[in-house]
Amino acid sequence: MKLPRTPVREQAPQVRSTNFEEVCYGYNQQEAVLEAARCLQCKKPGCVTQCPVSIQIPQFIEEVKKGDFATAAQIIAQDSSLPAVCGRVCPQETQCEGKCILGVKGESVAIGKLERFVADWAAANVNAAPSLPPANGKRVAIVGSGPAGLACASDLAKMGYEVKIFEALHKPGGVLEYGIPEFRLPKQKVVEHEIDNVKKLGVSIETNVVIGRTLTIDQLLDSEKFDAVFIGSGAGLPKFMNIAGENLNGVVSANEFLTRANLMKAYLAEYDTPIYVGKKVAVVGGGNVAMDAARTALRLGAEVSIVYRRSENELPARREEVHHAKEEGITFYMLTNPVEVLGTDKGWVRALRCLRMELGEPDASGRRSPIAIAGSEFEIDTDVVIMALGTSPNPLIKDTTKGLESNRYGCLVADNQGLTTRPGVFAGGDVVSGAATVILAMGAGRTSAKAIDQYLSPEKSAN
Ligand SMILES: Cc1cc2nc3c(=O)[nH]c(=O)nc-3n(C[C@H](O)[C@H](O)[C@H](O)COP(=O)(O)OP(=O)(O)OC[C@H]3O[C@@H](n4cnc5c(N)ncnc54)[C@H](O)[C@@H]3O)c2cc1C
């Protein structure tokens, strides 16, 4: 008889919508072992091929089933430096779990929840210092401490390189620290703990250094004597709609809103960080960023709606986030496109003028394109509009580095190993792909670590 997927415990929607504590409690040992027993241990596991960092999923699940969580953690650690993060935020439904054979006729194994369980268990129970190879005398500089930079740094440190990360903000972690909210990804318990593990590998992190201002890439290579550079500076530049009224007071980018809430801790009473939600907030967009901004605004006391121009089928956010947002009472205006932000005579937002849409033929993204329905105009009353329409890379690094090229989207040009148009300079993550996912950024960081090793130690491949 097939066992059903083991349910995971969560805070009740009406309770969690008023606090910033983690929504999902994760599995306990008994639940994890029960869920692990559902894995069929496929000979050709599709889950592994769909994982951008190729975690040996059946192997770690088998150890969970036996109750050997320490070995399970070691297996995951071979391929991932951020398992507690990925277990919480990866879009498993389209990656590992999407290829689980059990999912064809029923429910896939809860691979993400098992990964999270193992990582949390290891954080609480394992404190062994990692064994490292002797230093090889070569130095690599990493720009940015998000998932791409951290993954690249970890792999290089494990190969014996001296690695230093330069981070523009005052805290490392990239989007994990300033973007994804506490109720989805606890900062101290998860993000800071996993960054500490990277530091235990010997990686040093210098914060408050903006590469392109404080130091340039050319200086890192010339006067600072680094042998190679990896750029993992992300895509932090927000996009706007360019519609009338966007300059009114009360229109903000999701990036700014979430940075104030997360990194600057605006949600804690003891912090005096300015943030405004008014009574009603409309969030424009349908990705993870839109869900995070909406659920943060809800917890700060506003009535919140999401405005998205396609239908629910096309929502790019993780399914779990959409489900949680609905449970918490967020209103979804689907097939709705804002055309103007309307203001009061004092210059503050008062409403969003929108058109209803229908779906036409697929566009370049493969999704059916939205077409406006004539005469369908209506207004959504709101005090604040949060734009969550995607981001692109900041041009600062490209503009201050000789020989670096970017494409028409502002992303750095790099080959499939991450080598840019400047010898010795590699790049990966959102700065190359445009806004994507944590695990893809980590995968790119790992690929570049291998390429940097081949570039700096060619004798290894010759032997
Ligand atoms: C709100 C939000 C929610 C998300 N939710 C999910 C999710 O649920 N699941 C998922 O998989 N993905 C999610 N993503 C996407 C994911 O977080 C990103 O794809 C990922 O973080 C990209 O990693 P990165 O290392 O390339 O860049 P980032 O995480 O952006 O890190 C780049 C780092 O570089 C630093 N930097 C930039 N310029 C410089 C400079 N000149 N000098 C020095 N440092 C610099 C930045 O300060 C930052 O710390 C979300 C993104 C956001 C914004």
Side-chain angles (χ1 to χ4, degrees):
M1 194 188 72
K2 274 192 201 147
L3 286 171
R5 183 164 157 135
T6 312
V8 70
R9 289 159 295 113
E10 293 176 345
Q11 274 198 74
Q14 64 278 19
V15 177
R16 69 179 191 240
S17 56
T18 59
N19 69 51
F20 278 83
E21 283 152 35
E22 194 171 12
V23 167
C24 177
Y25 294 126
Y27 285 150
N28 60 27
Q29 293 195 10
Q30 204 182 3
E31 290 160 342
V33 172
L34 188 67
E35 182 60 15
R38 295 180 64 233
C39 176
L40 298 178
Q41 294 291 316
C42 302
K43 289 238 160 37
K44 287 189 184 161
C47 53
V48 181
T49 54
Q50 282 303 103
C51 171
V53 296
S54 307
I55 292 176
Q56 298 167 62
I57 294 167
Q59 287 85 340
F60 99 72
I61 291 183
E62 183 61 18
E63 297 306 325
V64 175
K65 186 173 142 191
K66 290 191 230 156
D68 186 350
F69 309 133
T71 305
Q74 281 164 13
I75 293 172
I76 297 176
Q78 287 168 23
D79 300 298
S80 173
S81 45
L82 305 171
V85 170
C86 293
R88 285 169 166 84
V89 306
C90 264
Q92 289 103 5
E93 69 267 23
T94 55
Q95 296 181 348
C96 52
E97 293 180 17
K99 280 282 168 185
C100 175
I101 202 83
L102 285 184
V104 177
K105 285 196 178 156
E107 292 176 295
S108 57
V109 174
I111 301 170
K113 297 286 182 284
L114 288 173
E115 182 187 21
R116 169 193 163 141
F117 165 77
V118 172
D120 287 356
W121 182 91
N125 295 285
V126 180
N127 201 12
S131 59
L132 293 169
N136 65 16
K138 293 173 187 159
R139 304 176 71 226
V140 182
I142 309 258
V143 182
S145 61
L150 291 170
C152 185
S154 302
D155 279 11
L156 287 168
K158 287 181 197 161
M159 295 175 206
Y161 290 92
E162 183 189 327
V163 185
K164 182 161 184 181
I165 300 181
F166 295 95
E167 166 56 48
L169 295 173
H170 65 276
K171 273 200 152 189
V175 169
L176 309 179
E177 186 69 38
Y178 76 76
I180 304 181
E182 180 77 18
F183 56 81
R184 233 163 36 90
L185 189 61
K187 304 302 158 221
Q188 203 177 1
K189 184 177 126 197
V190 178
V191 181
E192 286 160 29
H193 180 83
E194 298 215 319
I195 291 173
D196 282 346
N197 284 343
V198 175
K199 287 189 194 159
K200 281 186 193 157
L201 297 169
V203 172
S204 64
I205 304 181
E206 190 173 342
T207 52
N208 298 314
V209 181
V210 181
I211 299 299
R213 287 266 183 278
T214 329
L215 276 171
T216 62
I217 301 251
D218 297 312
Q219 285 170 324
L220 290 177
L221 288 165
D222 300 337
S223 47
E224 299 294 313
K225 305 277 179 236
F226 283 97
D227 299 294
V229 176
F230 173 78
I231 306 171
S233 51
L237 207 60
K239 291 182 187 158
F240 285 88
M241 292 191 80
N242 294 323
I243 56 175
E246 251 180 335
N247 57 349
L248 286 164
N249 292 318
V251 181
V252 288
S253 72
N255 260 46
E256 180 179 340
F257 181 74
L258 288 169
T259 303
R260 283 174 190 254
N262 300 326
L263 186 71
M264 297 160 75
K265 306 261 186 264
Y267 69 91
L268 293 176
E270 61 267 35
Y271 281 74
D272 191 20
T273 315
I275 195 161
Y276 176 65
V277 290
K279 287 203 175 99
K280 290 186 176 182
V281 171
V283 179
V284 183
N288 288 318
V289 183
M291 300 303 143
D292 283 345
R295 296 173 71 203
T296 299
L298 182 86
R299 283 159 172 75
L300 290 170
E303 194 182 304
V304 185
S305 46
I306 288 201
V307 182
Y308 180 59
R309 62 192 186 133
R310 291 185 162 97
S311 77
E312 186 159 346
N313 290 338
E314 288 80 26
L315 274 176
R318 290 177 74 220
R319 214 180 299 148
E320 183 174 293
E321 307 317 324
V322 177
H323 170 71
H324 280 154
K326 283 187 177 170
E327 276 189 336
E328 289 166 10
I330 287 169
T331 306
F332 281 67
Y333 288 95
M334 296 290 98
L335 290 166
T336 302
N337 197 29
V339 285
E340 185 179 0
V341 187
L342 304 171
T344 64
D345 44 13
K346 294 212 165 108
W348 286 85
V349 171
R350 71 166 178 82
L352 200 53
R353 195 162 65 84
C354 301
L355 281 176
R356 297 197 199 279
M357 313 296 277
E358 59 191 356
L359 293 180
E361 294 301 312
D363 62 15
S365 73
R367 294 173 301 172
R368 293 178 64 195
S369 51
I371 301 165
I373 301 175
S376 64
E377 250 180 52
F378 72 106
E379 288 180 15
I380 300 172
D381 286 344
T382 191
D383 305 308
V384 168
V385 176
I386 301 178
M387 295 293 185
L389 305 159
T391 49
S392 57
N394 188 313
L396 176 68
I397 291 181
K398 191 239 152 203
D399 291 348
T400 54
T401 311
K402 279 183 233 140
L404 269 192
E405 279 174 28
S406 60
N407 64 19
R408 65 194 170 108
Y409 304 107
C411 299
L412 291 183
V413 173
D415 69 11
N416 59 9
Q417 303 300 300
L419 179 62
T420 65
T421 45
R422 166 84 190 261
V425 179
F426 297 76
D430 284 5
V431 72
V432 171
S433 60
T437 62
V438 170
I439 195 78
L440 285 171
M442 284 178 64
R446 299 200 71 201
T447 301
S448 279
K450 277 195 206 115
I452 291 171
D453 184 42
Q454 277 158 17
Y455 171 75
L456 294 180
S457 308
E459 69 285 356
K460 277 194 199 167
S461 32
N463 292 333

